[in-house]
Amino acid sequence: MKKIEGQFEKQKLYQQKLQKIKELCQEATKKIRQGLLEGTPIKMANSDIMNIYNDIYKLTDEAGTAQAQKNQTKNQNNNKGDKVEEQLIQFFKDFLNEFIADIYQKVNEFIGEKESVLHIVSKTYHDYKAYSYWLYKMFYYLDKFAMPSVGTTLCSTSLKLLKDGYFEKCNKLILNTILQFIQETRKSGVLLNKQIKQLIQLFSVMGSKEVELKFMKDVGEYDYQCNKPNDAQRFYKDQFQHHLLQETQKFYKDEIDEKQKFTTPEFINWGNSIFKLEMDMCMECYPKSQSAIENKLKIMLVKDQAARLTNSTTGVGYMLQYDRTDELKQLFQFILRTKECITHIAQAYQNYFEQQGQIINNSIEQEQQVQLKDGRQLHEAELYFTRMLEVMEKAQSILKNQLLDEPEIQKSYSGAFMSVINKNEKSPMWLAIYTDIIIRSEKGVNEMETDKKLGKIVSVFQLLYQRDVFFRHYQKFLSNRLLNQQIQNLQLEKQLLQKFKGETGTNVLTQLSSMINDIEQSNRFATDQAISKNLKFELNVYLLSQGCWPINTIQDNIMKPPQIETVLKNYEDMYLQKHNGRILTWCFNMGQGELVYRIQNEKYYLNVNTMQMIAFLQFNQADSFSIKNLLELTKIDKIDLENSLIPFVCLKILSREKQDVEEFQDENEILKLNQIFNNRAKKMKLLPNQKMQPKRASRVKEQNQEELQQMEQINKQREFVVDSQLVRLMKSKKTIKHHELLESCQSMISIFKPDVLFIKKRIENLIEREYIRRDEKDCQLRETNSKIMSESSKTISCTEDFAPMRKGIFVELFLLYLIYMVISIASYYQNSEQDTSQPGQHNDGAVPPNQPQIKPSFISVEALNKFFTIFFGYHVIPVGMSLLYQPRTYSIVICYLHFAAYIVILVAYFKEKESILKIAYTASGLFNILLILGAIVGLSQAEYQCL
């Protein structure tokens, strides 16, 4: 009875202390509420907080000690409702629930008034955090020592109570209030009220199960901090962000429909303002949704509208045509927000410049040649590339300054001009002509300007498909420039060749470099030997390497005039003395010279080629000659003689009875010197040209034939290039899919762009010539596709992969067989000299157990004979079959293992290791079976067709 009375007294004492703590907390919460109501800082003395904290500590400590004694006496009469910690925790919850009920009642009073709801919710949420914070400080001891057993914290409990008693009841009201304010902000374009940030914070923390409540002194605010942000983030997305995105899409869908009549610049300006407003709202109120809002706007304003904006009547084409570069830059920056939409600008950009280039293609041949200031007529090639380069320069400037060198648009730039330039079949030849004109006019000009022009030429060259055609024409013009000392500019030629080498490395460039080296060596030789030192005239001889220069015909049978014959002979002897063993052939149809013509006390300087000089020098012997006499004296071809002398007739230096520009049909026609010739110009250019040549009927045919021959040569060279690349690929890959072979071959060739059909024909040709072959398995599976050369099915293999292996196997088998025969014969003669049969020995050579065994010598002929018999019978035949009919890797691995087994057999035999011998024999038998099975599999796969 005394113990029971003592327990009741303790419980009564605990209840009194609990009541005291509750009263102290009520007084403290009244002060807190009063401060929150007045909006003044909460002033709580630390002594008040510490008194409550100490009372809670002492009470829980006493209760804990009593509980420990109770457990020692094994008295299990334990009523949970009497636990002090639970009652204190319930006090904490009761205070919070009371406060939650009050703030919920305040919110209900203002339903329907969004301004009031916004203010009340924002204010009450702030007050609740402050109220919970001070309560948390009072019950802090419980949070450290009692709450862990419950599995939560006081801060998490306060948030859960707010969520259950307040947020879930006001969720829709708060959400609608936020969305209404956001809607009004979007309509007005100005952020109306920043208090919605407090409401949005409710959605940010309500999903978290573990939080901490802290007071941030720098801003003077209380805030929940989530320990597990993933839970809170999921709740935020589901309860707030999802609805926000739906409202955003609905609002801007209607707005975009209204703005469809806007021009592209107007829509861009409106769209930029929307992005700015939304990003400001996100940064200010809901930063967690910034990425989602931005992505939604990118889809609606950029991705869905990009095609319309770029292709509209005020889109990219309009901006390019009327030089509205600033608007184009704004459009590009706007669409750049969605990288994948850049393709719309790139396509519109490409279409516009393709149209501009096609206009040049269509108009260039129809226009009359334009006179320049100096009276020189523009060649159509110069006119074409001058205009084309102007358009390319404009496109490049826009690409760099407005479009920020976007890689996708760079591809469109290349694609546009590549398409336009290669549509013009004359573009390779015209580029060679344009290059020739530029180089001829650039001698003595500023190096920076020259380098800039050469860079433009190379930029066009990069776009050419038929670079080999360009080099064929360029070689001819380079030859003319190098052989003309007046326009010769070796440094400039080297500079341009170096730029070409950066784009393509071919044998043609090697030939062009050799041409320049020939001129340099010729000048060096002439300077070293002082060729013109004792001559009455200046002699320049160029030594041309055969095969590097575009020389179609060499006319070395022409009769040399006595004035130069001795000089040429001396030069030839001098050169051959220094370079013994070389052959020199004079090309009189390629040289040039200057004749001094004196008549009537006047001196004229005539710029002529070598054959013109040879023909005209004949008139030093007489004043008139017949055509027949000139042909006999000079040995010049009739057509070349016409081309050489008609310019003299046209300039009235020579006279004839027939028209000036007429063929020499009558060989008895007489050509006379014009004794009364007089001309104001003292320097005259008489080099043959089209205006000073007779109109021959066969000339067009000859030109066509020459062009056809050149194209045939180019096609042959292209065949060699494609064949070499195909064989090179096959040597490196051994086996490759047909479409991969086509793609790889196209990418490796830079001198021209091979057509897919052309590559396919070369593949067929290589198959016919047995350089490569089709894989038999693939052909069987894709027989119908192989007839039409489908790109998706064929596998091509190199034919040299199998033949050397077969040859090597046969050689090895043959050598082993010879060794076996030699050993067998030697064994036969050795056995005939000595009788190995002994009393008691069986016919098979085995020694009975009661007789000592004679250990054979390791190098005896008999031992080797036995080894090779076993080796050939059980090893070589299966190995040979397997290597002939199986893949190499499988066969080699098994063969090495098989050979190792027989080495073990040999060693075990001489070391008398019977157990090892049995294991080795068993392994060798297994390897024999694997090899024979491999040979059977190989035969079943029809590999025997390769033998």
Side-chain angles (χ1 to χ4, degrees):
M1 291 294 293
K2 291 183 179 180
K3 290 182 179 180
I4 296 173
E5 291 177 359
Q7 291 178 0
F8 280 120
E9 290 178 0
K10 287 183 180 180
Q11 289 182 3
K12 186 177 180 180
L13 182 61
Y14 291 157
Q15 292 298 324
Q16 292 175 355
K17 291 182 178 180
L18 284 171
Q19 186 63 30
K20 180 181 177 183
I21 292 173
K22 185 175 181 180
E23 292 174 357
L24 291 174
C25 289
Q26 286 176 344
E27 292 178 3
T29 54
K30 286 181 181 179
K31 294 181 182 179
I32 296 171
R33 285 195 175 199
Q34 185 66 30
L36 294 174
L37 181 64
E38 295 174 356
T40 58
I42 299 173
K43 297 180 180 179
M44 287 285 295
N46 289 332
S47 59
D48 296 338
I49 300 295
M50 290 304 300
N51 289 335
I52 297 173
Y53 177 85
N54 290 331
D55 290 343
I56 292 173
Y57 167 71
K58 291 177 181 179
L59 180 60
T60 54
D61 184 56
E62 291 176 2
T65 304
Q67 185 65 33
Q69 294 176 356
K70 186 177 181 180
N71 292 335
Q72 289 178 0
T73 59
K74 297 183 179 181
N75 185 0
Q76 302 301 323
N77 185 15
N78 185 12
N79 188 358
K80 294 183 179 179
D82 294 337
K83 284 188 176 180
V84 174
E85 291 89 347
E86 291 184 358
Q87 293 185 47
L88 290 172
I89 294 172
Q90 190 61 42
F91 286 169
F92 179 80
K93 292 181 179 179
D94 291 341
F95 287 128
L96 290 176
N97 285 328
E98 182 182 356
F99 191 87
I100 291 171
D102 292 343
I103 62 176
Y104 177 67
Q105 185 178 359
K106 290 181 181 179
V107 173
N108 283 334
E109 294 175 359
F110 297 97
I111 292 178
E113 302 177 12
K114 62 178 185 299
E115 292 284 350
S116 300
V117 170
L118 175 63
H119 176 72
I120 290 299
V121 173
S122 177
K123 178 72 168 56
T124 54
Y125 178 53
H126 171 270
D127 292 348
Y128 179 80
K129 289 187 291 185
Y131 186 78
S132 299
Y133 176 78
W134 288 102
L135 272 180
Y136 166 72
K137 293 183 70 174
M138 298 176 195
F139 291 86
Y140 179 74
Y141 180 83
L142 295 178
D143 194 60
K144 289 295 182 182
F145 299 100
M147 295 305 291
S149 61
V150 182
T152 183
T153 62
L154 292 179
C155 296
S156 300
T157 302
S158 72
L159 182 64
K160 186 177 184 305
L161 293 174
L162 179 66
K163 180 180 179 181
D164 296 340
Y166 177 79
F167 181 76
E168 290 185 353
K169 297 177 182 179
C170 303
N171 186 357
K172 293 184 178 179
L173 176 64
I174 296 171
L175 178 63
N176 292 333
T177 302
I178 295 172
L179 296 178
Q180 287 177 9
F181 272 98
I182 292 175
Q183 201 86 329
E184 291 181 2
T185 298
R186 287 169 174 167
K187 290 179 180 179
S188 64
V190 180
L191 186 60
L192 298 177
N193 201 320
K194 296 182 181 180
Q195 285 185 337
I196 60 172
K197 182 177 181 181
Q198 296 291 331
L199 276 65
I200 296 171
Q201 284 182 353
L202 280 168
F203 292 92
S204 300
V205 299
M206 285 300 166
S208 181
K209 296 179 181 180
E210 294 183 13
V211 294
E212 293 181 6
L213 184 57
K214 294 185 177 181
F215 176 68
M216 295 174 287
K217 294 182 180 180
D218 51 344
V219 293
E221 292 184 358
Y222 304 89
D223 197 12
Y224 285 108
Q225 294 183 357
C226 303
N227 293 334
K228 293 183 178 181
N230 292 335
D231 296 337
Q233 187 68 17
R234 282 194 295 269
F235 183 88
Y236 173 83
K237 288 182 178 180
D238 294 339
Q239 299 297 324
F240 174 73
Q241 184 172 291
H242 174 71
H243 300 285
L244 176 63
L245 293 177
Q246 283 184 337
E247 290 296 322
T248 302
Q249 183 173 4
K250 181 179 178 181
F251 176 81
Y252 283 116
K253 185 179 182 301
D254 297 335
E255 290 291 313
I256 291 171
D257 291 340
E258 293 179 2
K259 303 297 188 293
Q260 291 298 305
K261 296 181 180 179
F262 278 16
T263 63
T264 296
E266 290 173 346
F267 188 91
I268 295 302
N269 292 331
W270 174 76
N272 286 330
S273 65
I274 295 301
F275 271 104
K276 184 178 185 305
L277 174 64
E278 291 292 338
M279 293 304 101
D280 289 344
M281 291 170 61
C282 289
M283 292 295 295
E284 187 64 37
C285 300
Y286 37 92
K288 292 182 179 180
S289 298
Q290 180 175 353
S291 177
I293 292 291
E294 187 175 11
N295 291 335
K296 178 63 71 175
L297 292 177
K298 285 179 181 179
I299 293 173
M300 299 184 68
L301 296 177
V302 181
K303 186 176 181 180
D304 295 344
Q305 304 297 319
R308 183 184 68 83
L309 293 174
T310 54
N311 299 322
S312 68
T313 54
T314 56
V316 174
Y318 171 82
M319 296 173 183
L320 291 172
Q321 184 176 358
Y322 295 100
D323 295 330
R324 295 180 177 268
T325 54
D326 293 337
E327 295 177 356
L328 179 62
K329 187 173 183 178
Q330 288 181 353
L331 173 62
F332 171 75
Q333 292 175 343
F334 183 77
I335 292 182
L336 188 62
R337 289 184 169 96
T338 304
K339 196 76 171 179
E340 60 190 30
C341 294
I342 292 296
T343 53
H344 296 291
I345 292 183
Q347 188 60 48
Y349 177 91
Q350 182 172 347
N351 292 339
Y352 173 80
F353 284 107
E354 277 186 2
Q355 293 174 1
Q356 297 299 309
Q358 194 59 43
I359 291 173
I360 297 174
N361 281 348
N362 297 335
S363 64
I364 196 67
E365 295 182 357
Q366 301 173 0
E367 295 185 5
Q368 298 290 332
Q369 290 182 332
V370 183
Q371 296 289 331
L372 296 180
K373 292 182 180 180
D374 57 358
R376 180 176 64 87
Q377 287 185 333
L378 274 175
H379 190 279
E380 56 185 354
E382 186 176 2
L383 183 63
Y384 176 77
F385 279 108
T386 299
R387 293 183 178 179
M388 190 64 72
L389 284 170
E390 288 177 357
V391 177
M392 291 175 66
E393 188 173 358
K394 175 184 175 182
Q396 190 66 35
S397 175
I398 291 172
L399 176 61
K400 181 179 179 180
N401 299 323
Q402 276 71 41
L403 304 178
L404 307 179
D405 283 328
E406 176 64 31
E408 188 71 24
I409 305 179
Q410 284 181 347
K411 294 179 183 177
S412 298
Y413 168 84
S414 302
F417 290 102
M418 190 178 292
S419 173
V420 168
I421 291 174
N422 288 288
K423 280 181 181 178
N424 187 348
E425 295 180 354
K426 296 181 180 179
S427 56
M429 179 183 68
W430 281 0
L431 181 59
I433 295 172
Y434 178 74
T435 305
D436 182 67
I437 294 171
I438 293 298
I439 293 177
R440 287 173 181 266
S441 62
E442 289 300 310
K443 189 171 183 179
V445 183
N446 186 1
E447 290 184 2
M448 294 183 63
E449 291 293 328
T450 302
D451 187 68
K452 185 177 179 180
K453 290 184 178 180
L454 294 183
K456 292 181 179 180
I457 292 172
V458 175
S459 67
V460 178
F461 172 78
Q462 292 172 343
L463 304 174
L464 281 181
Y465 289 160
Q466 303 184 55
R467 297 179 181 180
D468 50 351
V469 178
F470 164 78
F471 280 126
R472 178 60 64 94
H473 294 287
Y474 179 82
Q475 190 179 28
K476 293 180 181 179
F477 292 116
L478 176 63
S479 173
N480 295 334
R481 293 196 300 271
L482 293 178
L483 297 178
N484 189 340
Q485 193 173 11
Q486 295 179 352
I487 60 174
Q488 193 181 95
N489 191 344
L490 299 181
Q491 189 64 30
L492 189 61
E493 301 289 358
K494 286 182 178 180
Q495 188 177 351
L496 183 57
L497 277 186
Q498 194 65 31
K499 291 180 180 293
F500 286 146
K501 283 182 181 179
E503 299 301 324
T504 178
T506 64
N507 293 331
V508 177
L509 290 176
T510 305
Q511 292 179 354
L512 299 179
S513 300
S514 299
M515 292 169 64
I516 297 175
N517 291 335
D518 288 344
I519 301 300
E520 291 179 334
Q521 291 178 4
S522 301
N523 294 335
R524 197 177 302 116
F525 179 78
T527 303
D528 295 342
Q529 304 300 323
I531 299 298
S532 302
K533 184 176 182 181
N534 297 320
L535 299 178
K536 295 181 180 180
F537 56 88
E538 184 178 355
L539 176 67
N540 291 315
V541 179
Y542 294 122
L543 301 163
L544 313 182
S545 300
Q546 188 174 4
C548 296
W549 293 75
I551 304 174
N552 295 326
T553 57
I554 298 176
Q555 299 183 14
D556 58 342
N557 58 345
I558 296 174
M559 299 297 293
K560 307 177 189 67
Q563 294 91 333
I564 62 174
E565 184 175 9
T566 304
V567 176
L568 297 182
K569 178 63 177 171
N570 293 336
Y571 183 91
E572 188 172 348
D573 294 340
M574 187 183 302
Y575 182 81
L576 293 177
Q577 286 178 3
K578 192 170 183 64
H579 303 280
N580 188 21
R582 297 188 181 181
I583 300 174
L584 288 180
T585 303
W586 294 98
C587 301
F588 294 107
N589 56 324
M590 296 190 66
Q592 291 185 13
E594 187 177 75
L595 285 175
V596 179
Y597 178 48
R598 294 185 178 88
I599 188 170
Q600 293 184 353
N601 297 325
E602 293 289 341
K603 184 188 293 186
Y604 299 95
Y605 298 93
L606 309 180
N607 186 8
V608 296
N609 62 30
T610 306
M611 289 201 297
Q612 285 179 303
M613 180 181 65
I614 292 172
F616 192 64
L617 284 174
Q618 303 300 323
F619 287 89
N620 281 333
Q621 302 173 16
D623 293 342
S624 62
F625 285 94
S626 66
I627 302 299
K628 185 177 181 180
N629 290 337
L630 288 173
L631 290 172
E632 292 175 352
L633 291 172
T634 60
K635 303 296 182 182
I636 298 176
D637 184 72
K638 184 178 179 180
I639 294 178
D640 291 331
L641 186 64
E642 289 176 0
N643 296 336
S644 299
L645 293 180
I646 285 179
F648 289 90
V649 177
C650 292
L651 292 178
K652 307 304 179 182
I653 297 175
L654 296 177
S655 60
R656 61 183 295 193
E657 296 178 357
K658 298 182 179 182
Q659 294 182 358
D660 294 347
V661 184
E662 187 176 341
E663 297 181 43
F664 293 164
Q665 295 180 353
D666 184 8
E667 292 186 357
N668 295 321
E669 181 184 358
I670 303 299
L671 296 177
K672 298 180 180 180
L673 277 175
N674 183 8
Q675 299 295 337
I676 59 172
F677 172 76
N678 189 12
N679 197 314
R680 292 182 179 179
K682 302 304 178 184
K683 289 187 177 183
M684 290 178 283
K685 190 174 182 180
L686 282 81
L687 295 173
N689 55 65
Q690 293 182 358
K691 294 181 179 180
M692 295 184 181
Q693 291 180 3
K695 297 180 181 180
R696 304 182 185 92
S698 60
R699 182 177 176 184
V700 177
K701 294 182 179 179
E702 292 176 357
Q703 289 180 349
N704 292 336
Q705 287 181 352
E706 185 179 354
E707 291 178 359
L708 289 174
Q709 290 176 357
Q710 289 181 356
M711 287 308 300
E712 287 180 0
Q713 292 178 358
I714 290 174
N715 286 331
K716 287 183 180 179
Q717 290 178 353
R718 289 180 176 181
E719 290 177 357
F720 294 148
V721 171
V722 173
D723 289 354
S724 64
Q725 296 298 341
L726 288 172
V727 174
R728 183 179 300 173
L729 277 168
M730 294 311 304
K731 281 183 175 291
S732 61
K733 300 288 186 180
K734 300 300 181 186
T735 301
I736 189 173
K737 291 291 184 182
H738 185 266
H739 70 93
E740 294 177 2
L741 182 61
L742 291 175
E743 294 173 359
S744 301
C745 183
Q746 277 187 315
S747 62
M748 290 174 66
I749 297 174
S750 60
I751 189 64
F752 69 98
K753 184 178 181 181
D755 185 60
V756 173
L757 183 60
F758 183 76
I759 300 177
K760 289 179 178 179
K761 289 180 179 179
R762 299 316 306 163
I763 292 174
E764 287 297 320
N765 183 267
L766 290 174
I767 292 174
E768 291 175 3
R769 291 152 57 191
E770 297 184 354
Y771 280 92
I772 58 178
R773 66 179 175 86
R774 283 196 181 89
D775 188 273
E776 297 297 335
K777 301 174 191 177
D778 267 28
C779 285
Q780 289 177 1
L781 293 173
R782 301 172 176 84
E783 184 176 357
T784 55
N785 289 340
S786 65
K787 292 180 181 179
I788 60 173
M789 294 297 294
S790 171
E791 296 184 14
S792 62
S793 62
K794 301 176 204 60
T795 302
I796 299 175
S797 304
C798 189
T799 56
E800 358 179 86
D801 189 28
F802 198 70
M805 186 180 70
R806 296 200 311 271
K807 294 176 182 178
I809 293 169
F810 284 125
V811 171
E812 291 169 6
L813 292 177
F814 181 72
L815 291 176
L816 287 171
Y817 183 73
L818 286 180
I819 296 171
Y820 171 66
M821 291 299 296
V822 171
I823 294 174
S824 297
I825 293 170
S827 176
Y828 173 79
Y829 282 107
Q830 185 180 17
N831 290 336
S832 64
E833 292 175 0
Q834 58 182 5
D835 184 11
T836 57
S837 297
Q838 298 179 5
Q841 188 175 6
H842 302 284
N843 292 333
D844 58 357
V847 181
N850 58 351
Q851 294 185 10
Q853 184 178 3
I854 301 174
K855 185 177 181 181
S857 173
F858 182 79
I859 58 172
S860 67
V861 176
E862 184 179 0
L864 289 176
N865 180 33
K866 187 170 184 178
F867 172 74
F868 272 95
T869 301
I870 297 173
F871 185 81
F872 248 87
Y874 295 97
H875 181 69
V876 173
I877 294 175
V879 168
M881 292 176 65
S882 180
L883 285 177
L884 287 175
Y885 299 115
Q886 266 297 96
R888 185 182 296 181
T889 304
Y890 172 86
S891 303
I892 288 177
V893 171
I894 301 298
C895 288
Y896 276 125
L897 293 173
H898 199 279
F899 186 77
Y902 274 100
I903 295 296
V904 174
I905 290 173
L906 186 64
V907 175
Y909 177 77
F910 292 109
K911 294 293 185 179
E912 299 180 359
K913 301 293 185 181
E914 185 175 355
S915 59
I916 298 176
L917 195 64
K918 290 179 180 179
I919 295 172
Y921 266 116
T922 304
S924 66
L926 177 62
F927 295 144
N928 273 330
I929 294 172
L930 291 176
L931 288 171
I932 294 171
L933 287 176
I936 294 172
V937 173
L939 286 169
S940 66
Q941 293 177 349
E943 196 71 29
Y944 63 92
Q945 295 178 0
C946 297
L947 293 176

